[in-house]
Short mmCIF file of all heavy atoms in Angstrom, two decimals:
data_model
loop_
_atom_site.label_atom_id
_atom_site.label_comp_id
_atom_site.label_asym_id
_atom_site.label_seq_id
_atom_site.Cartn_x
_atom_site.Cartn_y
_atom_site.Cartn_z
N GLU A 4 -10.82 1.27 13.52
CA GLU A 4 -11.99 2.05 13.83
C GLU A 4 -12.80 2.38 12.52
O GLU A 4 -14.02 2.21 12.46
CB GLU A 4 -11.67 3.37 14.55
CG GLU A 4 -11.21 3.11 15.96
CD GLU A 4 -12.22 2.40 16.85
OE1 GLU A 4 -13.44 2.75 16.83
OE2 GLU A 4 -11.78 1.48 17.54
N VAL A 5 -12.11 2.78 11.53
CA VAL A 5 -12.74 3.13 10.22
C VAL A 5 -13.32 1.87 9.62
O VAL A 5 -14.43 1.84 9.09
CB VAL A 5 -11.77 3.82 9.29
CG1 VAL A 5 -12.35 4.01 7.93
CG2 VAL A 5 -11.35 5.19 9.87
N ALA A 6 -12.54 0.78 9.64
CA ALA A 6 -12.99 -0.50 9.05
C ALA A 6 -14.24 -1.04 9.72
O ALA A 6 -15.12 -1.57 9.06
CB ALA A 6 -11.87 -1.52 9.09
N ARG A 7 -14.32 -0.81 11.02
CA ARG A 7 -15.50 -1.30 11.77
C ARG A 7 -16.75 -0.57 11.31
O ARG A 7 -17.82 -1.13 11.28
CB ARG A 7 -15.30 -1.09 13.27
CG ARG A 7 -14.36 -2.10 13.84
CD ARG A 7 -14.00 -1.82 15.31
NE ARG A 7 -15.25 -1.67 16.12
CZ ARG A 7 -15.27 -1.16 17.36
NH1 ARG A 7 -14.13 -0.73 17.89
NH2 ARG A 7 -16.38 -1.06 17.99
N SER A 8 -16.65 0.70 10.95
CA SER A 8 -17.81 1.45 10.58
C SER A 8 -18.08 1.46 9.05
O SER A 8 -19.21 1.61 8.66
CB SER A 8 -17.69 2.91 11.07
OG SER A 8 -16.60 3.54 10.49
N GLU A 9 -17.02 1.36 8.28
CA GLU A 9 -17.24 1.46 6.82
C GLU A 9 -16.95 0.23 6.00
O GLU A 9 -17.26 0.16 4.81
CB GLU A 9 -16.20 2.53 6.27
CG GLU A 9 -16.45 3.92 6.79
CD GLU A 9 -15.47 4.91 6.21
OE1 GLU A 9 -14.72 4.60 5.29
OE2 GLU A 9 -15.40 6.07 6.73
N SER A 10 -16.43 -0.82 6.61
CA SER A 10 -15.99 -1.98 5.80
C SER A 10 -16.04 -3.23 6.71
O SER A 10 -16.49 -3.19 7.81
CB SER A 10 -14.61 -1.73 5.27
OG SER A 10 -14.19 -2.73 4.39
N ASP A 11 -15.42 -4.30 6.19
CA ASP A 11 -15.32 -5.53 6.95
C ASP A 11 -13.86 -5.60 7.47
O ASP A 11 -12.91 -5.65 6.71
CB ASP A 11 -15.55 -6.72 6.01
CG ASP A 11 -15.33 -8.06 6.64
OD1 ASP A 11 -15.22 -8.14 7.88
OD2 ASP A 11 -15.16 -9.03 5.89
N PRO A 12 -13.70 -5.56 8.79
CA PRO A 12 -12.36 -5.50 9.36
C PRO A 12 -11.44 -6.69 8.93
O PRO A 12 -10.30 -6.54 8.68
CB PRO A 12 -12.58 -5.56 10.86
CG PRO A 12 -13.94 -4.92 11.04
CD PRO A 12 -14.72 -5.39 9.83
N ALA A 13 -12.03 -7.90 8.77
CA ALA A 13 -11.26 -9.06 8.37
C ALA A 13 -10.78 -8.88 6.95
O ALA A 13 -9.67 -9.25 6.57
CB ALA A 13 -12.09 -10.30 8.55
N ALA A 14 -11.66 -8.35 6.03
CA ALA A 14 -11.29 -8.10 4.67
C ALA A 14 -10.20 -7.05 4.59
O ALA A 14 -9.31 -7.19 3.70
CB ALA A 14 -12.52 -7.66 3.86
N VAL A 15 -10.26 -6.07 5.41
CA VAL A 15 -9.20 -5.03 5.43
C VAL A 15 -7.83 -5.69 5.79
O VAL A 15 -6.82 -5.37 5.14
CB VAL A 15 -9.54 -3.92 6.44
CG1 VAL A 15 -8.35 -3.05 6.78
CG2 VAL A 15 -10.66 -3.09 5.96
N GLN A 16 -7.85 -6.64 6.69
CA GLN A 16 -6.61 -7.34 7.03
C GLN A 16 -6.06 -8.10 5.80
O GLN A 16 -4.90 -8.03 5.47
CB GLN A 16 -6.79 -8.31 8.21
CG GLN A 16 -5.50 -9.03 8.57
CD GLN A 16 -5.70 -9.99 9.74
OE1 GLN A 16 -6.85 -10.31 10.10
NE2 GLN A 16 -4.63 -10.54 10.25
N GLN A 17 -6.96 -8.76 5.09
CA GLN A 17 -6.54 -9.51 3.89
C GLN A 17 -5.98 -8.54 2.88
O GLN A 17 -5.03 -8.85 2.17
CB GLN A 17 -7.70 -10.29 3.37
CG GLN A 17 -8.10 -11.46 4.23
CD GLN A 17 -9.38 -12.10 3.79
OE1 GLN A 17 -10.12 -11.61 2.89
NE2 GLN A 17 -9.67 -13.30 4.34
N HIS A 18 -6.63 -7.38 2.70
CA HIS A 18 -6.21 -6.41 1.68
C HIS A 18 -4.84 -5.83 2.03
O HIS A 18 -4.01 -5.64 1.16
CB HIS A 18 -7.21 -5.28 1.55
CG HIS A 18 -8.53 -5.78 1.00
ND1 HIS A 18 -9.69 -5.04 1.01
CD2 HIS A 18 -8.89 -6.97 0.41
CE1 HIS A 18 -10.67 -5.68 0.48
NE2 HIS A 18 -10.20 -6.88 0.12
N LEU A 19 -4.57 -5.59 3.30
CA LEU A 19 -3.26 -5.10 3.72
C LEU A 19 -2.19 -6.13 3.37
O LEU A 19 -1.14 -5.81 2.88
CB LEU A 19 -3.23 -4.84 5.22
CG LEU A 19 -3.80 -3.52 5.72
CD1 LEU A 19 -3.84 -3.48 7.25
CD2 LEU A 19 -3.02 -2.35 5.18
N GLY A 20 -2.53 -7.41 3.65
CA GLY A 20 -1.59 -8.49 3.34
C GLY A 20 -1.35 -8.62 1.84
O GLY A 20 -0.19 -8.83 1.41
N ALA A 21 -2.36 -8.43 1.05
CA ALA A 21 -2.21 -8.46 -0.39
C ALA A 21 -1.30 -7.36 -0.92
O ALA A 21 -0.44 -7.56 -1.80
CB ALA A 21 -3.56 -8.40 -1.11
N VAL A 22 -1.49 -6.17 -0.38
CA VAL A 22 -0.68 -5.05 -0.80
C VAL A 22 0.77 -5.29 -0.41
O VAL A 22 1.69 -5.09 -1.21
CB VAL A 22 -1.17 -3.72 -0.19
CG1 VAL A 22 -0.19 -2.57 -0.42
CG2 VAL A 22 -2.55 -3.36 -0.76
N LEU A 23 1.01 -5.74 0.86
CA LEU A 23 2.34 -6.07 1.29
C LEU A 23 3.01 -7.11 0.40
O LEU A 23 4.17 -6.96 0.05
CB LEU A 23 2.32 -6.56 2.71
CG LEU A 23 2.51 -5.50 3.82
CD1 LEU A 23 2.30 -6.10 5.21
CD2 LEU A 23 3.89 -4.87 3.72
N ALA A 24 2.28 -8.17 0.10
CA ALA A 24 2.82 -9.25 -0.71
C ALA A 24 3.18 -8.73 -2.10
O ALA A 24 4.27 -9.10 -2.66
CB ALA A 24 1.82 -10.41 -0.79
N THR A 25 2.35 -7.89 -2.65
CA THR A 25 2.59 -7.31 -4.01
C THR A 25 3.89 -6.52 -3.97
O THR A 25 4.73 -6.60 -4.92
CB THR A 25 1.41 -6.51 -4.45
OG1 THR A 25 0.24 -7.33 -4.52
CG2 THR A 25 1.69 -5.87 -5.84
N ILE A 26 4.09 -5.71 -2.94
CA ILE A 26 5.26 -4.87 -2.85
C ILE A 26 6.51 -5.68 -2.65
O ILE A 26 7.54 -5.53 -3.33
CB ILE A 26 5.12 -3.81 -1.74
CG1 ILE A 26 4.00 -2.82 -2.10
CG2 ILE A 26 6.41 -3.10 -1.51
CD1 ILE A 26 3.60 -1.86 -0.95
N ARG A 27 6.38 -6.69 -1.80
CA ARG A 27 7.52 -7.59 -1.54
C ARG A 27 7.94 -8.39 -2.74
O ARG A 27 9.13 -8.67 -2.92
CB ARG A 27 7.24 -8.51 -0.35
CG ARG A 27 7.28 -7.84 0.97
CD ARG A 27 7.03 -8.79 2.10
NE ARG A 27 6.98 -8.05 3.36
CZ ARG A 27 6.22 -8.44 4.40
NH1 ARG A 27 5.49 -9.53 4.33
NH2 ARG A 27 6.25 -7.74 5.49
N ASP A 28 6.93 -8.82 -3.50
CA ASP A 28 7.20 -9.71 -4.64
C ASP A 28 7.71 -8.90 -5.89
O ASP A 28 8.12 -9.51 -6.85
CB ASP A 28 5.94 -10.47 -5.05
CG ASP A 28 5.53 -11.49 -4.01
OD1 ASP A 28 6.38 -11.79 -3.12
OD2 ASP A 28 4.39 -11.98 -4.03
N ASN A 29 7.60 -7.60 -5.88
CA ASN A 29 7.99 -6.81 -7.03
C ASN A 29 9.08 -5.84 -6.57
O ASN A 29 8.77 -4.73 -5.99
CB ASN A 29 6.81 -6.07 -7.62
CG ASN A 29 7.08 -5.38 -8.88
OD1 ASN A 29 8.17 -4.88 -9.08
ND2 ASN A 29 6.11 -5.36 -9.78
N GLY A 30 10.33 -6.17 -6.84
CA GLY A 30 11.47 -5.31 -6.47
C GLY A 30 11.42 -3.94 -7.01
O GLY A 30 11.78 -2.96 -6.35
N GLU A 31 11.00 -3.83 -8.30
CA GLU A 31 10.94 -2.48 -8.92
C GLU A 31 9.90 -1.61 -8.22
O GLU A 31 10.10 -0.43 -8.01
CB GLU A 31 10.65 -2.61 -10.43
CG GLU A 31 11.76 -3.19 -11.19
CD GLU A 31 11.47 -3.32 -12.68
OE1 GLU A 31 10.42 -2.72 -13.15
OE2 GLU A 31 12.19 -3.98 -13.38
N LEU A 32 8.76 -2.25 -7.90
CA LEU A 32 7.71 -1.49 -7.23
C LEU A 32 8.22 -1.00 -5.85
O LEU A 32 8.03 0.15 -5.49
CB LEU A 32 6.47 -2.36 -7.11
CG LEU A 32 5.30 -1.77 -6.25
CD1 LEU A 32 4.75 -0.50 -6.93
CD2 LEU A 32 4.22 -2.81 -6.11
N ALA A 33 8.82 -1.90 -5.12
CA ALA A 33 9.38 -1.61 -3.80
C ALA A 33 10.38 -0.46 -3.90
O ALA A 33 10.36 0.45 -3.07
CB ALA A 33 9.96 -2.84 -3.11
N ALA A 34 11.25 -0.53 -4.86
CA ALA A 34 12.20 0.52 -5.05
C ALA A 34 11.58 1.83 -5.40
O ALA A 34 12.02 2.88 -4.86
CB ALA A 34 13.22 0.08 -6.17
N ALA A 35 10.62 1.84 -6.24
CA ALA A 35 9.95 3.09 -6.63
C ALA A 35 9.24 3.71 -5.46
O ALA A 35 9.29 4.94 -5.24
CB ALA A 35 8.94 2.82 -7.79
N LEU A 36 8.66 2.89 -4.60
CA LEU A 36 7.87 3.40 -3.46
C LEU A 36 8.82 3.93 -2.34
O LEU A 36 8.39 4.79 -1.58
CB LEU A 36 6.95 2.35 -2.92
CG LEU A 36 5.77 1.93 -3.81
CD1 LEU A 36 5.01 0.78 -3.22
CD2 LEU A 36 4.85 3.13 -4.08
N SER A 37 9.98 3.41 -2.31
CA SER A 37 10.88 3.82 -1.23
C SER A 37 11.91 4.85 -1.68
O SER A 37 12.61 5.44 -0.86
CB SER A 37 11.64 2.63 -0.63
OG SER A 37 12.44 2.00 -1.61
N SER A 38 11.96 5.11 -2.96
CA SER A 38 12.93 6.05 -3.51
C SER A 38 12.60 7.52 -3.18
O SER A 38 11.47 7.96 -3.33
CB SER A 38 13.06 5.93 -5.02
OG SER A 38 13.91 6.91 -5.59
N ARG A 39 13.61 8.25 -2.73
CA ARG A 39 13.44 9.69 -2.51
C ARG A 39 13.42 10.47 -3.77
O ARG A 39 13.01 11.66 -3.79
CB ARG A 39 14.63 10.20 -1.62
CG ARG A 39 14.70 9.59 -0.25
CD ARG A 39 13.70 10.23 0.66
NE ARG A 39 13.78 9.64 1.98
CZ ARG A 39 12.74 9.62 2.75
NH1 ARG A 39 11.58 10.09 2.42
NH2 ARG A 39 12.87 9.06 4.00
N HIS A 40 13.83 9.86 -4.88
CA HIS A 40 13.85 10.52 -6.16
C HIS A 40 12.47 10.51 -6.86
O HIS A 40 12.27 11.25 -7.85
CB HIS A 40 14.88 9.89 -7.09
CG HIS A 40 16.27 9.93 -6.52
ND1 HIS A 40 16.92 11.09 -6.28
CD2 HIS A 40 17.07 8.92 -6.11
CE1 HIS A 40 18.09 10.85 -5.76
NE2 HIS A 40 18.22 9.53 -5.64
N VAL A 41 11.57 9.66 -6.39
CA VAL A 41 10.23 9.59 -6.97
C VAL A 41 9.38 10.72 -6.27
O VAL A 41 9.26 10.77 -5.09
CB VAL A 41 9.56 8.24 -6.74
CG1 VAL A 41 8.10 8.25 -7.21
CG2 VAL A 41 10.39 7.16 -7.44
N PRO A 42 8.79 11.60 -7.09
CA PRO A 42 7.96 12.68 -6.54
C PRO A 42 6.80 12.13 -5.72
O PRO A 42 6.27 11.04 -6.02
CB PRO A 42 7.45 13.45 -7.75
CG PRO A 42 8.39 13.10 -8.82
CD PRO A 42 8.87 11.70 -8.55
N ASP A 43 6.39 12.86 -4.68
CA ASP A 43 5.29 12.39 -3.83
C ASP A 43 4.01 12.12 -4.59
O ASP A 43 3.37 11.08 -4.35
CB ASP A 43 4.98 13.47 -2.77
CG ASP A 43 6.10 13.67 -1.76
OD1 ASP A 43 7.01 12.78 -1.73
OD2 ASP A 43 6.12 14.70 -1.05
N ALA A 44 3.70 12.91 -5.54
CA ALA A 44 2.46 12.69 -6.34
C ALA A 44 2.56 11.37 -7.14
O ALA A 44 1.60 10.61 -7.24
CB ALA A 44 2.21 13.87 -7.30
N ALA A 45 3.78 11.10 -7.70
CA ALA A 45 3.93 9.87 -8.43
C ALA A 45 3.87 8.64 -7.53
O ALA A 45 3.29 7.62 -7.89
CB ALA A 45 5.30 9.89 -9.16
N ARG A 46 4.48 8.75 -6.31
CA ARG A 46 4.37 7.69 -5.33
C ARG A 46 2.95 7.37 -4.97
O ARG A 46 2.54 6.24 -4.92
CB ARG A 46 5.24 8.09 -4.11
CG ARG A 46 5.32 6.95 -3.04
CD ARG A 46 6.17 7.37 -1.85
NE ARG A 46 7.52 7.60 -2.26
CZ ARG A 46 8.15 8.80 -2.32
NH1 ARG A 46 7.44 9.87 -1.96
NH2 ARG A 46 9.43 8.95 -2.71
N ARG A 47 2.18 8.45 -4.75
CA ARG A 47 0.78 8.29 -4.42
C ARG A 47 0.03 7.58 -5.53
O ARG A 47 -0.77 6.67 -5.31
CB ARG A 47 0.19 9.66 -4.09
CG ARG A 47 -1.27 9.59 -3.69
CD ARG A 47 -1.80 11.04 -3.42
NE ARG A 47 -3.13 11.02 -2.88
CZ ARG A 47 -4.23 10.94 -3.61
NH1 ARG A 47 -4.15 10.83 -4.89
NH2 ARG A 47 -5.41 10.94 -3.04
N ASN A 48 0.29 8.02 -6.75
CA ASN A 48 -0.37 7.41 -7.94
C ASN A 48 -0.01 5.93 -8.11
O ASN A 48 -0.82 5.16 -8.46
CB ASN A 48 -0.05 8.24 -9.20
CG ASN A 48 -0.74 9.58 -9.21
OD1 ASN A 48 -1.73 9.80 -8.46
ND2 ASN A 48 -0.22 10.47 -9.97
N ILE A 49 1.24 5.65 -7.82
CA ILE A 49 1.73 4.27 -7.96
C ILE A 49 0.99 3.33 -6.93
O ILE A 49 0.46 2.31 -7.31
CB ILE A 49 3.24 4.17 -7.76
CG1 ILE A 49 3.98 4.78 -8.94
CG2 ILE A 49 3.64 2.72 -7.60
CD1 ILE A 49 5.48 5.01 -8.70
N ILE A 50 0.95 3.80 -5.70
CA ILE A 50 0.34 2.93 -4.67
C ILE A 50 -1.17 2.85 -4.86
O ILE A 50 -1.77 1.82 -4.63
CB ILE A 50 0.69 3.43 -3.24
CG1 ILE A 50 0.45 2.27 -2.23
CG2 ILE A 50 -0.02 4.64 -2.83
CD1 ILE A 50 1.29 1.09 -2.34
#
C-alpha cells in the first residue's frame, strides 16, 4: 500500500530481495542482526 503511493512497487520487491541476499551472503551480518546481545539501537543502525 505504501509502495503504491510513495514508490515503485516492483522496485520495492527488488530492494527487499537485495537486502535479503546481503544478509544471507554475510554470516557476520546475519549473526549481528539476529543476536539478542546486540542492543536494539545498534541493530537498527546496522540494518
Side-chain angles (χ1 to χ4, degrees):
E4 290 301 314
V5 172
R7 287 175 51 195
S8 63
E9 295 180 11
S10 187
D11 174 17
V15 165
Q16 181 181 11
Q17 292 172 347
H18 294 166
L19 280 173
V22 170
L23 266 174
T25 300
I26 294 170
R27 285 183 184 149
D28 293 345
N29 188 326
E31 290 179 14
L32 175 62
L36 292 175
S37 63
S38 174
R39 296 279 181 210
H40 301 295
V41 174
D43 293 345
R46 183 179 297 108
R47 182 179 187 277
N48 290 338
I49 291 168
I50 198 67

